[in-house]
PDB file of all heavy atoms in Angstrom:
ATOM      1  N   HIS Y 593      33.145 -26.552  28.076  1.00 97.00           N
ATOM      2  CA  HIS Y 593      34.504 -26.095  28.331  1.00 97.00           C
ATOM      3  C   HIS Y 593      34.447 -24.720  29.009  1.00 97.00           C
ATOM      4  O   HIS Y 593      33.658 -23.868  28.594  1.00 97.00           O
ATOM      5  CB  HIS Y 593      35.252 -25.989  26.992  1.00 97.00           C
ATOM      6  CG  HIS Y 593      36.733 -25.932  27.162  1.00 97.00           C
ATOM      7  ND1 HIS Y 593      37.374 -24.810  27.659  1.00 97.00           N
ATOM      8  CD2 HIS Y 593      37.702 -26.869  26.942  1.00 97.00           C
ATOM      9  CE1 HIS Y 593      38.680 -25.044  27.722  1.00 97.00           C
ATOM     10  NE2 HIS Y 593      38.905 -26.289  27.300  1.00 97.00           N
ATOM     11  N   PRO Y 594      35.286 -24.491  30.033  1.00 96.00           N
ATOM     12  CA  PRO Y 594      35.258 -23.176  30.710  1.00 96.00           C
ATOM     13  C   PRO Y 594      35.449 -22.008  29.732  1.00 96.00           C
ATOM     14  O   PRO Y 594      34.898 -20.933  29.944  1.00 96.00           O
ATOM     15  CB  PRO Y 594      36.419 -23.262  31.681  1.00 96.00           C
ATOM     16  CG  PRO Y 594      36.592 -24.730  31.943  1.00 96.00           C
ATOM     17  CD  PRO Y 594      36.210 -25.431  30.670  1.00 96.00           C
ATOM     18  N   ASN Y 595      36.205 -22.241  28.641  1.00 96.00           N
ATOM     19  CA  ASN Y 595      36.398 -21.171  27.650  1.00 96.00           C
ATOM     20  C   ASN Y 595      35.057 -20.801  27.002  1.00 96.00           C
ATOM     21  O   ASN Y 595      34.791 -19.632  26.735  1.00 96.00           O
ATOM     22  CB  ASN Y 595      37.350 -21.630  26.534  1.00 96.00           C
ATOM     23  CG  ASN Y 595      38.788 -21.611  27.018  1.00 96.00           C
ATOM     24  OD1 ASN Y 595      39.117 -20.943  28.006  1.00 96.00           O
ATOM     25  ND2 ASN Y 595      39.632 -22.394  26.346  1.00 96.00           N
ATOM     26  N   VAL Y 596      34.241 -21.816  26.740  1.00 96.00           N
ATOM     27  CA  VAL Y 596      32.931 -21.561  26.121  1.00 96.00           C
ATOM     28  C   VAL Y 596      32.039 -20.809  27.102  1.00 96.00           C
ATOM     29  O   VAL Y 596      31.395 -19.812  26.760  1.00 96.00           O
ATOM     30  CB  VAL Y 596      32.278 -22.891  25.672  1.00 96.00           C
ATOM     31  CG1 VAL Y 596      30.854 -22.659  25.188  1.00 96.00           C
ATOM     32  CG2 VAL Y 596      33.129 -23.557  24.600  1.00 96.00           C
ATOM     33  N   VAL Y 597      32.052 -21.291  28.364  1.00 96.00           N
ATOM     34  CA  VAL Y 597      31.261 -20.640  29.418  1.00 96.00           C
ATOM     35  C   VAL Y 597      31.633 -19.161  29.485  1.00 96.00           C
ATOM     36  O   VAL Y 597      30.761 -18.274  29.456  1.00 96.00           O
ATOM     37  CB  VAL Y 597      31.507 -21.326  30.779  1.00 96.00           C
ATOM     38  CG1 VAL Y 597      30.866 -20.526  31.907  1.00 96.00           C
ATOM     39  CG2 VAL Y 597      30.982 -22.764  30.742  1.00 96.00           C
ATOM     40  N   THR Y 598      32.933 -18.889  29.522  1.00 96.00           N
ATOM     41  CA  THR Y 598      33.427 -17.515  29.660  1.00 96.00           C
ATOM     42  C   THR Y 598      33.082 -16.661  28.439  1.00 96.00           C
ATOM     43  O   THR Y 598      32.662 -15.520  28.565  1.00 96.00           O
ATOM     44  CB  THR Y 598      34.954 -17.537  29.840  1.00 96.00           C
ATOM     45  OG1 THR Y 598      35.254 -18.487  30.846  1.00 96.00           O
ATOM     46  CG2 THR Y 598      35.476 -16.184  30.260  1.00 96.00           C
ATOM     47  N   ARG Y 599      33.221 -17.239  27.246  1.00 97.00           N
ATOM     48  CA  ARG Y 599      32.961 -16.453  26.028  1.00 97.00           C
ATOM     49  C   ARG Y 599      31.491 -16.065  25.903  1.00 97.00           C
ATOM     50  O   ARG Y 599      31.161 -15.098  25.222  1.00 97.00           O
ATOM     51  CB  ARG Y 599      33.391 -17.239  24.785  1.00 97.00           C
ATOM     52  CG  ARG Y 599      34.910 -17.289  24.639  1.00 97.00           C
ATOM     53  CD  ARG Y 599      35.294 -18.078  23.394  1.00 97.00           C
ATOM     54  NE  ARG Y 599      36.677 -18.511  23.479  1.00 97.00           N
ATOM     55  CZ  ARG Y 599      37.075 -19.765  23.257  1.00 97.00           C
ATOM     56  NH1 ARG Y 599      36.189 -20.714  22.962  1.00 97.00           N
ATOM     57  NH2 ARG Y 599      38.342 -20.079  23.342  1.00 97.00           N
ATOM     58  N   PHE Y 600      30.616 -16.805  26.543  1.00 97.00           N
ATOM     59  CA  PHE Y 600      29.205 -16.418  26.531  1.00 97.00           C
ATOM     60  C   PHE Y 600      28.835 -15.607  27.776  1.00 97.00           C
ATOM     61  O   PHE Y 600      27.674 -15.473  28.116  1.00 97.00           O
ATOM     62  CB  PHE Y 600      28.303 -17.651  26.372  1.00 97.00           C
ATOM     63  CG  PHE Y 600      28.244 -18.135  24.960  1.00 97.00           C
ATOM     64  CD1 PHE Y 600      29.110 -19.133  24.515  1.00 97.00           C
ATOM     65  CD2 PHE Y 600      27.362 -17.575  24.048  1.00 97.00           C
ATOM     66  CE1 PHE Y 600      29.087 -19.550  23.198  1.00 97.00           C
ATOM     67  CE2 PHE Y 600      27.331 -17.987  22.733  1.00 97.00           C
ATOM     68  CZ  PHE Y 600      28.192 -18.982  22.298  1.00 97.00           C
TER      69      PHE Y 600
END
Side-chain angles (χ1 to χ4, degrees):
Chain Y
H593 197 288
N595 284 340
V596 173
V597 171
T598 311
R599 287 180 199 130
F600 282 93

